[in-house]
Amino acid sequence: MHRTAAPHVVVIGGGFAGLTAARGLADAAEDRPLRVTLVDRRNHHTFQPLLYQVATSGLQPQDVGHPLRPIFGLRRLSRRGTAVDVRLGEVTGVDRDRRVVHLDDGDELAYDHLVVAAGARTSDFGLPGVAEHGFGLKSLNEALALRDHVLRRFEHAANHPQSIAEGELTFVVAGGGPTGVELAGALAELVDDVLSRDHPHLDLRRVRIVLLEAADRLLGAFHERSSAHALRALRRRGVEVRLNTALERAEADHVVLGDGTRIPTKTLVWVAGVRAEGLAEHLGAETTRGGRVVVTPTLRLPDDPAVHVIGDVAGAPDGDGGLLPQLAPVAIQQGRYVAARIAADLDGAPDDTPFRYVDKGTMATIGRHDAVAELPFGIRFGGFPAWVSWLGLHLLFLVGFRNRIAVFLSWMWNYLTYDRAARLILQAPRSTGPRDAPAPAP
Amino acid sequence: MHRTAAPHVVVIGGGFAGLTAARGLADAAEDRPLRVTLVDRRNHHTFQPLLYQVATSGLQPQDVGHPLRPIFGLRRLSRRGTAVDVRLGEVTGVDRDRRVVHLDDGDELAYDHLVVAAGARTSDFGLPGVAEHGFGLKSLNEALALRDHVLRRFEHAANHPQSIAEGELTFVVAGGGPTGVELAGALAELVDDVLSRDHPHLDLRRVRIVLLEAADRLLGAFHERSSAHALRALRRRGVEVRLNTALERAEADHVVLGDGTRIPTKTLVWVAGVRAEGLAEHLGAETTRGGRVVVTPTLRLPDDPAVHVIGDVAGAPDGDGGLLPQLAPVAIQQGRYVAARIAADLDGAPDDTPFRYVDKGTMATIGRHDAVAELPFGIRFGGFPAWVSWLGLHLLFLVGFRNRIAVFLSWMWNYLTYDRAARLILQAPRSTGPRDAPAPAP
């Protein structure tokens, strides 16, 4: 309908990678004829690093999700007219010969350049019962389902104290990476600060938060001293951390660990792994372990330079024979990179400088006044300074001025009052597993 | 479990009536032995007058819903220990002989006094198709379902402009009372201020907002001049108001009006009527039209002074041979009234002064800078002063300091930026009708 002579770039996915790429392309469209369409199956960007705070009633969905359309609203007013269009839909196929993307409602989008930034979803690695009984934490829907479920467990235990012995108040978090550490810490705070006041009749010493990690330390991507710091801090907050312990299988009312231990629980949160969204087969592309698409050092398909793959779905070489980690900073830098490369291609001056990830550091928060942070050149710090840095950086990376203000105010409120105002039970009890159902066609 | 010698008052329902009664009883418990249990099938109070703003993306769920437990949190710290307990559950029966309330999980609650404040739900008056295809607006779930549905319609129309002729962007609101007027006005603003920017390719002149009213004027409970003001204001904002027009039936893709007109639409909002929650049969009590429980002038069951019925579920005499209206101010005043009467009963000094509703006025807002307000003694005003009064009064009546601040800030943001930040599509497309599914047992 809006077909013009201007080259058309289709970006699949509105996460960190796709959103950054689309923004870069919108900038590029100021100086050259270029149209951009951003396709996502959701109408909003999800700030995944804070989903665990939605799950623990600390933030509201809207604080962490930002509608995609208004992000490009101002671009529409630029002198070249519409630069970025947003399309709600699920990609069902890519025809690279015809250069066309197929959508679930039967429509087709023709492209000159394609940027695949479809992200990753929770993977159960085929462990029995995890898909049926585990909660994931990759979307707002998953976070809200977990929030409702946790709050319901306390309501149920308040009315049926005998259920506590059957694991009603036992919360098992599988995966000791940043998400697992942050979620376990936030759950401990939710119980200590908030639910203890909500449920004065409950003996909350019987609450168990169990964090499972298959390796011999938490935060495997961090320095060992940060791992030790996180371990101490979580244990001090009452979290049972079990290292060298894998999950064997999950049932509705218990989980079984690798060493045969059976833990009665109705709540398993699975944050132990992701796999790339299943777009590789649509692309007819080679994949790595975890379903990531094999790309060249310039983040293109080896046999098709018009297709760029970035973010969690890309298996980009790290220069040392491995793959780059599936992290937000990688996705953001890759988004900027491909936007610049596509602009150069369009200008007839292709630039084959390989993508190079600049590691600016990593952080994970454990709870009030405590976090671990690692910067380049071996700079590490923890405790209060790391916690404040964590807060500031996350505010900075949030999309949208309003969300920054809202999250800042919510954090102030939670900090000063030890409250979590978002503890509303809104949904029917869960019946699905951690694999988020794809948002249906509109 | 917590059974003691202190008399036990069970309050069914945490809306305006039940919440006010429970708060009054908590105050009374400072001076006399008294235990209170508030039962609700949701874990939060819902500020129903602002649900339409959730449905139109102006407010977040948490702004309008307040968890019930913390409302009584401070009471728990009073010198008498726990005064109010909150119980999540659905009442399935009342045994007035044994003075016991049955809950859906099989538990029983024994009472000395029972306060029934179960509220009202959407009623379709048996009109064909309304239950299947209409949206109600009595709970957060209903408001969120409508929000998602409306936003989806615009996404769909953006991708399939031919669907506009089939009613994709036609929104029919049935019921010209305050809720219908406010919703129609807010929908018009959402389209003009926000969706026009989100969807620059859509011809939004083709959006139709149709407000149906069976009587010959809007806002039947108001003065005729307020009705005329609302009619003019809505028409100026592009709302098609059809007076003297009833809905005949609803189908998935159209509605049929009483005069035979067929309007293609995928969105029918039914705010034309409520009926009392179905507790009357559990009580074995006589009911009025609309399922309301017949009560004495002291708001008790005629044959059982231990059972008090208040709020929307009560059919209380208005002194003129009619019934009091189902409004928040009536519910709040009745809540205060029964708390005082129960305290008097417990003190052995029963007070049989009949309940008298003091009408302090009514208001309805139409949109930015416009509302109608009516005070006692024939004082009426409209436009900007009424709008500011409406904003202030609603902030005042919101439950909780945090919610007041949050709503105030959201309103400021929406006002200054013409934005509606809460326009997230989170749920799967609807498959249920306006009758909100009862919140399942935990």
Side-chain angles (χ1 to χ4, degrees), chain B residues 153-376:
Chain B
R153 299 285 65 74
F154 282 85
E155 294 292 342
H156 190 81
N159 300 332
H160 307 279
Q162 74 284 5
S163 69
I164 302 175
E166 297 153 16
E168 192 74 35
L169 298 184
T170 300
F171 304 94
V172 177
V173 179
T179 307
V181 166
E182 293 183 331
L183 177 65
L187 275 173
E189 268 187 5
L190 177 69
V191 173
D192 289 349
D193 295 350
V194 183
L195 297 178
S196 58
R197 282 182 289 171
D198 273 1
H199 295 280
H201 303 313
L202 273 178
D203 179 3
L204 293 182
R205 287 168 305 183
R206 298 179 67 192
V207 173
R208 287 178 70 189
I209 299 167
V210 184
L211 178 60
L212 306 177
E213 169 54 49
D216 61 357
R217 63 189 180 99
L218 298 173
L219 301 176
F222 287 62
H223 190 274
E224 289 186 8
R225 288 182 55 179
S226 297
S227 302
H229 181 111
L231 179 66
R232 273 195 314 274
L234 285 177
R235 286 190 168 154
R236 204 166 47 231
R237 286 158 196 261
V239 175
E240 293 176 41
V241 182
R242 295 189 175 218
L243 302 175
N244 301 305
T245 307
L247 188 76
E248 178 89 17
R249 65 172 196 274
E251 306 277 352
D253 61 355
H254 68 277
V255 296
V256 178
L257 309 186
D259 59 8
T261 312
R262 183 180 179 284
I263 301 181
T265 180
K266 283 165 186 158
T267 314
L268 167 67
V269 189
W270 180 260
V271 288
V274 296
R275 70 177 284 116
E277 286 287 349
L279 267 175
E281 57 263 41
H282 295 329
L283 288 170
E286 193 189 344
T287 56
T288 71
R289 198 170 61 85
R292 294 160 78 179
V293 177
V294 173
V295 293
T296 67
T298 59
L299 308 181
R300 300 175 198 248
L301 284 190
D303 61 345
D304 190 345
V307 178
H308 312 253
V309 187
I310 57 175
D312 286 356
V313 75
D318 67 357
D320 283 334
L323 297 178
L324 287 173
Q326 287 164 297
L327 294 175
V330 176
I332 291 169
Q333 293 178 29
Q334 290 182 337
R336 277 195 214 113
Y337 173 89
V338 296
R341 290 310 165 287
I342 290 171
D345 281 11
L346 295 176
D347 293 346
D351 175 359
D352 281 344
T353 319
F355 172 75
R356 203 171 67 82
Y357 169 53
V358 181
D359 182 0
K360 294 178 181 161
T362 34
M363 318 180 107
T365 185
I366 297 143
R368 185 178 280 258
H369 298 179
D370 204 358
V372 291
E374 298 189 357
L375 303 183

Side-chain angles (χ1 to χ4, degrees), chain A residues 267-304:
Chain A
T267 314
L268 167 68
V269 189
W270 179 261
V271 288
V274 296
R275 70 177 282 114
E277 285 288 350
L279 267 174
E281 58 264 40
H282 295 330
L283 288 171
E286 192 188 344
T287 57
T288 70
R289 200 170 59 88
R292 294 161 78 181
V293 177
V294 174
V295 294
T296 66
T298 59
L299 308 180
R300 301 176 197 246
L301 286 189
D303 60 347
D304 190 346

